[in-house]
């Protein structure tokens, strides 16, 4: 949850709070850096890492790995991907507008801007697809499934009517659901929960609809010929050691069979 509006200046100490994908840790971004907490002991949260260098407006950790994605107040258009245990920056990308949200799973990293979304391959951070000219989304409302099998991205399909765009982030095709849009949650089993949140302090959160994304698979597959992945013409600027066409040589992200979330991840070349 980003506690800083896109046009606001930092007025409080805590700017961002969020769980990782399996809810085993909590990330907190502040004006003075960020902290990662473990839930091994609920009586007293354990600080597993802290960094006091930057003003963090967005921080996302990849499961229980050492990979974190960071956006600062001072550079709101730049995404930094870091290995926090080694204190190293793996790479950074610059975008054309303020980054409003970042979402991660084991296969994809999604960056949400006000009118576009960038989908990266998390193994080498290559931009695979860009969804352009989306309806204005100043809140950065989007959600990415944590499932490897059901790798869906949901985001607003309209700024005037209740429309949700569902995008298959693995096969890069999309479809639309017409429902009221306030809060989106995607489960690892491929279920989309659409909730109505009262826009007042302490407002109720009401479940409006549950939708099986797997039931929508036929419409997604049928749309492939109508909406093929577009060719990227103005990709974000990248700074870092990645070689876009050489995943194995970079050795930054391990395959699923190699992943060990208790150890340093991703493995990095010396």
């Amino acid at each position: 949850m980003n506690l800083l509006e896109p046009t606001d200046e930092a007025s409080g100490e805590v700017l961002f709070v969020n769980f990782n994908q399996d809810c085993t840790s909590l990330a907190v971004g502040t004006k003075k850096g960020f902290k990662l907490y473990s839930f091994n002991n609920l009586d007293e949260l354990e600080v597993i890492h802290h960094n006091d260098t930057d003003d963090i407006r967005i921080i996302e950790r990849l499961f229980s790995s050492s990979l974190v994605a960071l956006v600062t107040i001072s550079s709101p258009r730049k995404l930094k991907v870091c290995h926090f245990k080694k204190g190293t920056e793996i790479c950074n990308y610059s975008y054309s507008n303020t980054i409003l949200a970042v979402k991660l799973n084991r296969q994809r990293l999604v960056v949400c801007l006000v009118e576009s979304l960038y989908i990266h391959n998390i193994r080498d951070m290559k931009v695979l697809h860009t969804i352009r000219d989306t309806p204005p989304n100043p809140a950065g409302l989007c959600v990415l499934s944590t499932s490897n099998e059901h790798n869906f991205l949901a985001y607003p399909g309209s700024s005037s009517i209740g429309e949700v765009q569902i995008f298959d982030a693995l096969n890069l095709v999309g479809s639309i659901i017409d429902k009221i849009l306030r809060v989106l949650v995607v489960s690892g089993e491929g279920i989309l929960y659409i909730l109505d949140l009262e826009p007042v302090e302490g407002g109720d959160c009401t479940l409006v609809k549950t939708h099986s994304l797997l039931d929508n698979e036929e419409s997604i597959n049928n749309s492939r010929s109508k909406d093929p992945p577009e060719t990227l013409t103005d990709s974000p600027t990248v700074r870092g050691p990645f070689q876009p066409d050489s995943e194995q040589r970079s050795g930054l992200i391990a395959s699923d069979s190699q992943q060990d979330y208790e150890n340093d991840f991703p493995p990095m070349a010396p």
Side-chain angles (χ1 to χ4, degrees), residues 110-113 115-119 129-131 134 142 153 155:
V110 176
V111 176
C112 178
L113 309 184
E115 291 184 343
S116 60
L117 295 109
Y118 289 84
I119 301 175
H129 187 69
T130 305
I131 304 173
T134 62
C142 66
L153 169 68
Y155 61 93

Side-chain angles (χ1 to χ4, degrees), residues 12 24-25 73 95 148 203:
T24 58
S25 69
I73 295 175
Y95 300 83
N148 286 338

Side-chain angles (χ1 to χ4, degrees), residues 9 13 47 56 63 73 82 93 106 113 123-124 130 132 158 168 172 176 178 184-185 190 197 210 227 247 249 255 270:
E9 295 183 357
E13 183 68 20
V47 178
I56 303 299
F63 289 89
I73 295 175
C82 300
Y93 275 77
R106 293 188 179 99
L113 309 184
R123 298 183 187 278
D124 58 5
T130 305
R132 305 182 189 281
S158 172
D168 185 340
L172 307 178
I176 294 175
D178 296 318
L184 302 175
V185 178
L197 180 64
T210 60
D227 186 26
E247 291 182 15
R249 184 173 63 183
S255 65

Side-chain angles (χ1 to χ4, degrees), residues 172-196:
L172 307 178
V173 292
S175 64
I176 294 175
I177 300 175
D178 296 318
K179 298 296 175 187
I180 298 173
L181 179 60
R182 284 290 176 83
V183 177
L184 302 175
V185 178
V186 177
S187 72
E189 291 73 33
I191 305 297
L192 173 66
Y193 298 90
I194 303 176
L195 302 101
D196 187 14

Side-chain angles (χ1 to χ4, degrees), residues 166 175-177 211-221:
I166 305 298
S175 64
I176 294 175
I177 300 175
H211 185 85
S212 174
L213 301 180
L214 301 183
D215 293 342
N216 205 42
E217 185 173 358
E218 181 178 354
S219 63
I220 291 176
N221 292 334

